[in-house]
Amino acid sequence: MKKILITGGAGFIGSHVVRRFVQKYPAYQIYNLDALTYAGNLENITDIEQAPNYTFIKGDITAESFINHLFEQHQFDGVIHLAAESHVDRSIEDPLAFVKTNVIGTMHLLNAAKKQWEGKEATKRFYHISTDEVYGSLGAEGLFTETTPYDPNSPYSASKASSDHFVRAYGETYGLPYVITNCSNNYGPNHFPEKLIPLFINNIINNKALPVYGNGKYTRDWLFVEDHAVAIDLVFHEGKNHQTYNIGGFNEWQNIDLVKLLCQIMDVKLGRVPGTSEALITYVKDRPGHDLRYAIDASKINKELGWKPSVTFEQGLDRTVDWYLANETWLKNVTSGEYAKYYEKQYE
Ligand code: NAD
Ligand code: DAU
């Protein structure tokens, strides 16, 4: 019996990771710790909530004594840490919130793990989920490798870079057994509609403007979320201690080309005249500090652990659009209330 703490398991990627672990490893006890911020939603995981090997804990990783108590009480064997403030635009408005959760929250988890695991390091693992944004921005050429120097440009990526450094420092200084992965842009079901793909799907459904930042010629490397969950499973079980692995989709798209492809798919799915959705594209003011291009060299995880994406972008986008069309109530629930206020401030 292994006890695994997964943080942020009610969010986008975390919900896919929790589902995979609960279903694939009945002998593990999976504890999902999530503060249920605007981005956390238990509706993402209703299908596994009754599973005997699953426990949900509502709690905040920034609450130090609560975290210490939790680790004392449960004696976890492993931690998969996904809880974070994750949206770049929000980090520009409120950087401190990102320091609190992404840096201080991670510190509390590290301290609790260090304390409880002293002398038992050989059987433990702290897995920190990070992002390719820590490497900064690429020009037209090149790929991020595991040895690319950190060069974060947004408060979000600076907070993630900081937490990566602390995880590594705890490994070097205290012998904490850790792995880190830095992944490219995910997409898929349950993605909160403040991020490009789900935001634009929702706006197309509602015939609202599609706000493309700047000239739209920014490039991202897209990975289907379930393929990320597979990679996380593999790294958790087979990754080497004190190592970093880059995870990417081998799938670069300029924003404007991706948006046009999405518009075409949506016109077909919604039975609209071709070109209807594209007419909603509106160029708006650019994101400050907008990184030009991210692209991952995922050859290390491919060679060492045999991982590669299983879903093509066409298949993944098709599944994603179908999921949003079948889950309009989910979309309505998450876009009402607080999110409506955020949207108005950000775009109108
Ligand atoms: P998300 O915003 O969808 O979910 C974050 C989850 O963390 C939510 O359930 C939220 O309630 C929870 N949370 C936030 N603050 C918390 C706190 N103080 N205490 C406890 N729980 C808290 O994020 P996501 O897109 O699923 O990203 C998950 C992780 O993966 C993050 O660490 C992010 O940096 C990383 N990542 C994301 C992407 C991507 O494309 N989305 C790519 C690479 C890495
Ligand atoms: O690269 C991994 C990162 O990908 C993760 O670490 C982050 O948590 C995740 O949010 C994502 O960051 P991005 O900033 O790349 O994702 P976002 O969906 O916000 O934006 C994707 C691109 O689309 C980016 O170039 C900005 C642009 N964009 C975004 C929004 C929300 C627009 O043009 N218009 C928009 O309204």
Side-chain angles (χ1 to χ4, degrees):
M1 166 70 82
K2 271 195 177 191
K3 290 179 159 193
I4 313 291
L5 175 69
I6 300 182
T7 70
F12 167 46
I13 302 171
S15 60
H16 289 272
V17 175
V18 163
R19 175 177 299 104
R20 184 175 178 86
F21 273 71
V22 166
Q23 290 179 341
K24 194 170 163 204
Y25 302 108
Y28 291 2
Q29 192 62 38
I30 304 299
Y31 296 86
N32 173 12
L33 169 65
D34 199 297
L36 299 181
T37 68
Y38 79 93
N41 187 349
L42 289 176
E43 280 182 45
N44 291 341
I45 34 176
T46 45
D47 55 329
I48 49 118
E49 69 191 359
Q50 300 301 335
N53 63 335
Y54 173 72
T55 307
F56 175 70
I57 302 161
K58 185 172 185 306
D60 192 327
I61 59 169
T62 67
E64 185 176 10
S65 53
F66 160 73
I67 291 296
N68 284 333
H69 179 68
L70 194 70
F71 274 72
E72 257 166 46
Q73 189 188 359
H74 293 293
Q75 299 293 320
F76 301 117
D77 298 294
V79 175
I80 305 178
H81 174 37
L82 296 109
E85 288 292 340
S86 68
H87 191 36
V88 173
D89 293 325
R90 288 183 190 255
S91 81
I92 295 167
E93 283 302 308
D94 186 6
L96 201 55
F98 285 66
V99 174
K100 283 183 186 150
T101 288
N102 300 359
V103 186
I104 311 279
T106 302
M107 292 291 297
H108 293 331
L109 294 170
L110 286 170
N111 283 331
K114 171 179 165 285
K115 186 167 173 216
Q116 293 303 325
W117 294 354
E118 209 170 344
K120 301 177 224 157
E121 287 86 356
T123 58
K124 308 291 184 183
R125 169 149 281 184
F126 191 102
Y127 181 1
H128 180 60
I129 306 293
S130 191
T131 170
D132 60 358
E133 300 201 8
V134 298
Y135 298 122
S137 182
L138 291 163
E141 299 289 318
L143 299 171
F144 295 133
T145 73
E146 288 80 2
T147 56
T148 301
Y150 275 31
D151 187 21
N153 292 314
S154 73
Y156 163 67
S157 54
S159 69
K160 291 297 290 187
S162 172
S163 57
D164 290 12
H165 288 319
F166 275 111
V167 173
R168 204 167 285 124
Y170 271 55
E172 294 306 313
T173 307
Y174 307 113
L176 188 88
Y178 78 86
V179 277
I180 299 176
T181 50
N182 295 84
C183 188
S184 65
N185 287 62
N186 286 217
Y187 70 97
N190 311 98
H191 204 182
F192 195 84
E194 64 187 352
K195 311 281 168 59
L196 180 76
I197 291 179
L199 171 69
F200 280 31
I201 292 174
N202 189 34
N203 283 12
I204 291 170
I205 293 172
N206 294 299
N207 276 305
K208 281 176 80 169
L210 305 178
V212 173
Y213 293 161
N215 62 10
K217 297 198 169 157
Y218 295 88
T219 300
R220 297 292 183 265
D221 172 1
W222 293 93
L223 176 68
F224 191 60
V225 64
E226 288 179 14
D227 277 330
H228 189 187
V230 171
I232 289 172
D233 181 355
L234 208 56
V235 171
F236 182 71
H237 288 98
E238 293 175 31
K240 290 201 194 92
N241 260 339
H242 292 209
Q243 290 282 315
T244 283
Y245 297 86
N246 279 355
I247 304 172
F250 303 95
N251 181 38
E252 287 183 52
W253 283 80
Q254 273 196 354
N255 292 342
I256 191 63
D257 295 334
L258 187 162
V259 168
K260 285 183 179 167
L261 173 66
L262 187 61
C263 286
Q264 286 160 19
I265 295 173
M266 293 291 289
D267 280 347
V268 173
K269 302 258 186 207
L270 294 170
R272 291 182 183 166
V273 176
T276 308
S277 300
E278 244 185 77
L280 296 169
I281 292 176
T282 312
Y283 291 91
V284 300
K285 79 171 177 343
D286 213 345
R287 171 186 281 176
H290 199 166
D291 286 330
L292 179 67
R293 177 171 163 258
Y294 305 143
I296 281 279
D297 176 352
S299 54
K300 179 176 171 183
I301 188 172
N302 176 252
K303 284 197 193 106
E304 287 189 16
L305 305 181
W307 176 88
K308 62 177 188 328
S310 69
V311 175
T312 67
F313 195 46
E314 288 69 22
Q315 290 167 333
L317 259 190
D318 200 67
R319 279 173 65 182
T320 303
V321 170
D322 283 347
W323 186 86
Y324 282 94
L325 291 176
N327 288 277
E328 285 199 47
T329 314
W330 182 95
L331 256 180
K332 285 209 175 81
N333 288 347
V334 300
T335 49
S336 56
E338 277 307 304
Y339 179 67
K341 286 187 216 149
Y342 164 82
Y343 191 90
E344 202 173 318
K345 187 155 179 271
Q346 176 72 10
Y347 295 103
E348 282 163 17

